[in-house]
Amino acid sequence: MYTLIDGKLLAAEMRGELKEKTQLFEKERGRKVGLAVVLAGDNPASQVYVRNKIKACDEVGIKSFAVYLPQNVTQSVLEQAVKELVSNCAVDGVLVQLPLPEHIDAESVLKLIPAEKDVDGFSAENTGKLLLNEQSLVACTPHGVMKMLEKYKIDTKGKRAVVLGRSNIVGKPMAVLLLNADATVTVCHSKTQNLKEECLRADIIVSAIGKPKFLTADMVKEGAAVIDVGMNRDEAGKLCGDVDFDKVKEKCSYITPVPGGVGPMTITMLMYNAYYAAVRSKT
Ligand code: NAP
């Protein structure tokens, strides 16, 4: 019998707690926690993500600053917008929604966000601190996965964890967080040989590959905990994860659904990061 990890419920609980914290912050500092979101271009998925982030800000009592720029925005206009948000003391965190239009040098834009306002946790400084196991703003998706493991009391100490995917925003920080939580971590990617054997040894599998039904039941050890970060569309256009959920769940101790698993936790951790940045700010 498996336990379904309810990301939606967990996120709602955490947002309730966060709302109380932001209210207290407002009372003490005389201002709200502020989060700025920059959206450049007309990518429909990005528009949905930004809308959801603003909705979440409203829900937890964070003031949102949204800047919308056209698809043909120039590098200098975009950079100027980010600079203005960064220097605004009512803004505790700045997030630039990715991907940016192709003609934009995204790295230069992201470098304008100082570590203390880098609520996505993508900067070299925050990534470095994570590696050193120092307090920092941690990338939201892997941070959300760790909260799920913690809340469902899934032990990581001495356990074998396999992370599928090595992107800078999910796979790598995920592996470091698990390592910092005393798991024995293996990271798999497109060049990994014997990936199935690696997975079969795992007590915990976190899949962040981006391929529907990639992780099948024959790749999962009986009793493993499976966390599905993937957000894909199946042949019918339906949202699905990386895991062949219906078959894999029968072998698991714990499993996350898609939708309703990691997704809601990611936005919640963004809110958490904005609050964390605000508490540490001098304003
Ligand atoms: P990404 O940058 O495309 O990275 C994918 C990783 O998967 C790469 O490291 C790649 O290996 C590896 N990979 C691809 N095909 C593979 C294969 N056949 N075997 C083994 N490894 C393979 O993606 P990402 O940004 O990390 O996102 C991964 C998934 O998570 C996507 O579905 C994305 O939509 C989803 N996501 C969800 C959330 C959420 O909140 N739920 C947040 C972020 C991302 P190489 O490095 O060798 O190319």
Side-chain angles (χ1 to χ4, degrees):
M1 242 332 248
Y2 65 92
T3 300
L4 190 73
I5 300 179
D6 190 338
K8 222 168 153 183
L9 184 73
L10 199 53
E13 277 171 22
M14 287 184 69
R15 287 183 199 188
E17 289 163 17
L18 201 51
K19 189 172 183 176
E20 286 174 20
K21 288 184 177 164
T22 62
Q23 281 167 346
L24 200 64
F25 176 92
E26 192 176 351
K27 238 187 226 164
E28 283 171 359
R29 303 267 190 115
R31 69 169 183 94
K32 280 184 182 288
V33 175
L35 174 65
V37 184
V38 180
L39 174 61
D42 42 25
N43 180 317
S46 295
Q47 286 170 343
V48 174
Y49 292 142
V50 166
R51 225 177 9 250
N52 288 342
K53 286 168 187 176
I54 290 169
K55 222 169 94 189
C57 282
D58 293 342
E59 199 183 322
V60 301
I62 290 179
K63 184 173 164 53
S64 58
F65 298 75
V67 175
Y68 299 98
L69 297 165
Q71 182 73 26
N72 62 356
V73 63
T74 62
Q75 184 84 26
S76 64
V77 168
L78 176 52
E79 289 191 0
Q80 188 54 33
V82 173
K83 281 181 195 160
E84 277 169 25
L85 291 168
V86 162
S87 58
N88 183 344
C89 43
V91 172
D92 298 294
V94 180
L95 176 156
V96 177
Q97 186 65 45
L98 300 175
L100 286 168
E102 265 180 29
H103 63 281
I104 297 289
D105 173 2
E107 216 181 295
S108 305
V109 175
L110 295 180
K111 276 193 177 145
L112 296 170
I113 305 171
E116 64 275 14
K117 294 196 180 189
D118 164 38
V119 279
D120 262 335
F122 294 165
S123 66
E125 187 173 334
N126 281 321
T127 309
K129 280 186 174 169
L130 177 65
L131 207 59
L132 298 173
N133 204 3
E134 288 177 11
Q135 283 235 319
S136 63
L137 290 163
V138 178
C140 301
T141 301
H143 198 184
V145 172
M146 291 311 288
K147 283 282 171 205
M148 287 176 140
L149 297 177
E150 196 183 293
K151 295 274 181 180
Y152 278 80
K153 301 192 169 34
I154 299 170
D155 195 15
T156 50
K157 199 171 185 170
K159 302 293 176 192
R160 281 182 186 276
V162 165
V163 178
L164 301 177
R166 58 171 166 180
S167 71
N168 290 339
I169 63 171
V170 188
K172 282 184 199 163
M174 187 73 249
V176 176
L177 283 165
L178 286 163
L179 187 62
N180 290 347
D182 293 331
T184 302
V185 185
T186 302
V187 182
C188 298
H189 46 78
S190 67
K191 310 291 182 298
T192 298
Q193 293 180 1
N194 306 322
L195 187 141
K196 180 178 169 181
E197 284 66 33
E198 298 292 351
C199 290
L200 277 170
R201 275 195 286 272
D203 303 303
I204 300 166
I205 301 176
V206 180
S207 185
I209 283 199
K211 293 203 157 64
K213 298 193 180 169
F214 180 87
L215 190 79
T216 48
D218 61 329
M219 297 165 80
V220 177
K221 181 171 87 172
E222 204 65 56
V226 173
I227 311 290
D228 192 352
V229 176
M231 280 213 295
N232 317 301
R233 298 271 164 197
D234 66 13
E235 317 81 59
K238 214 174 122 210
L239 187 65
C240 69
D242 288 349
V243 178
D244 186 3
F245 182 86
D246 287 334
K247 298 203 177 98
V248 170
K249 71 179 197 281
E250 303 304 335
K251 293 185 89 175
C252 290
S253 52
Y254 294 88
I255 189 165
T256 61
V258 178
V262 175
M265 289 301 290
T266 296
I267 297 194
T268 304
M269 297 323 292
L270 173 68
M271 300 298 118
Y272 180 90
N273 276 356
Y275 170 74
Y276 177 98
V279 168
R280 275 152 190 80
S281 80
K282 292 187 180 72
T283 58

